[in-house]
Amino acid sequence: MDTKLTESSPAPPTETPEEISRRRFFEKLSIALVGLCTAIIGVPLVGFIVAPFFRKVPEKWVTLGKPDDFQIGKTVAVTVTDPSSLPWAGVTAKSGVWLRRVSQDSFIAFSANCTHLGCPVRWFEESHLFMCPCHGGAFYDDGSHASGPPPRGLYEYEYKIEQGQLWVRGGQLPTLSEPV
């Protein structure tokens, strides 16, 4: 038995394009499948992130009812369908408006959401205050900030009386970064 060591084994033969090995085929197939899966997941994800920048929020006038349905000096909650919501929003498209009739032709309409974190505020007739249950924010009856963490008063809706109906301009309310 001859136990001589050989210097080195020859390098493996290089493959020609016609001779793709099974390992090389599965390597290329795996890369293609990973790329396809990345595209399938990535395109909708990028679209979800980028789409709001290009979506124009509709500002439509929403009816609250006849002006005579509201008593002078009374603050009431009115439920409206938010025109900026998507068609499949369902019950989440419902929004609240606090409405007070100041005089025969004058109204004040506030968003029902606190300016701190968007929690729904409640009206307390006895104290003439809007109160936020989340962090104790309070607002006077004119919507201005009274106490607590909210940085400003309640958002106010524009209104008009037209065709015997009281209308408020629905759509996106301003954010804290926008001047009011």
Side-chain angles (χ1 to χ4, degrees):
M1 219 160 111
D2 195 345
T3 57
K4 284 190 200 176
L5 294 174
T6 58
E7 296 229 352
S8 67
S9 57
T14 58
E15 299 173 9
T16 62
E18 296 85 26
E19 300 174 346
I20 295 179
S21 68
R22 182 175 179 202
R23 177 175 288 168
R24 187 65 77 192
F25 169 74
F26 282 117
E27 179 182 304
K28 292 182 188 269
L29 180 65
S30 297
I31 291 171
L33 289 176
V34 167
L36 178 66
C37 290
T38 302
I40 289 173
I41 292 172
V43 169
L45 185 63
V46 169
F48 175 76
I49 293 169
V50 173
F53 294 114
F54 297 104
R55 182 175 170 235
K56 184 172 178 354
V57 177
E59 290 189 5
K60 297 180 181 173
W61 290 90
V62 180
T63 184
L64 298 181
K66 296 178 181 178
D68 295 334
D69 294 344
F70 305 102
Q71 296 177 12
I72 295 175
K74 244 357 203 170
T75 302
V76 295
V78 181
T79 303
V80 296
T81 301
D82 185 5
S84 67
S85 63
L86 298 171
W88 56 84
V91 73
T92 61
K94 300 289 183 195
S95 184
V97 175
W98 285 106
L99 182 72
R100 178 181 309 110
R101 187 172 190 176
V102 179
S103 66
Q104 189 63 26
D105 295 329
S106 179
F107 291 85
I108 300 176
F110 299 110
S111 170
N113 301 91
C114 179
T115 55
H116 179 225
L117 293 176
C119 297
V121 296
R122 291 183 52 204
W123 170 248
F124 290 92
E125 185 69 39
E126 305 80 30
S127 59
H128 292 280
L129 289 173
F130 292 100
M131 302 287 287
C132 177
C134 294
H135 297 106
F139 305 90
Y140 294 116
D141 59 357
D142 65 351
S144 61
H145 177 252
S147 68
R152 62 169 308 256
L154 294 173
Y155 295 118
E156 202 170 323
Y157 288 107
E158 282 183 60
Y159 75 92
K160 67 180 179 180
I161 299 172
E162 194 174 88
Q163 302 168 355
Q165 294 286 321
L166 175 63
W167 300 80
V168 293
R169 186 195 305 244
Q172 189 169 357
L173 292 171
T175 63
L176 293 176
S177 64
E178 298 170 0
V180 181

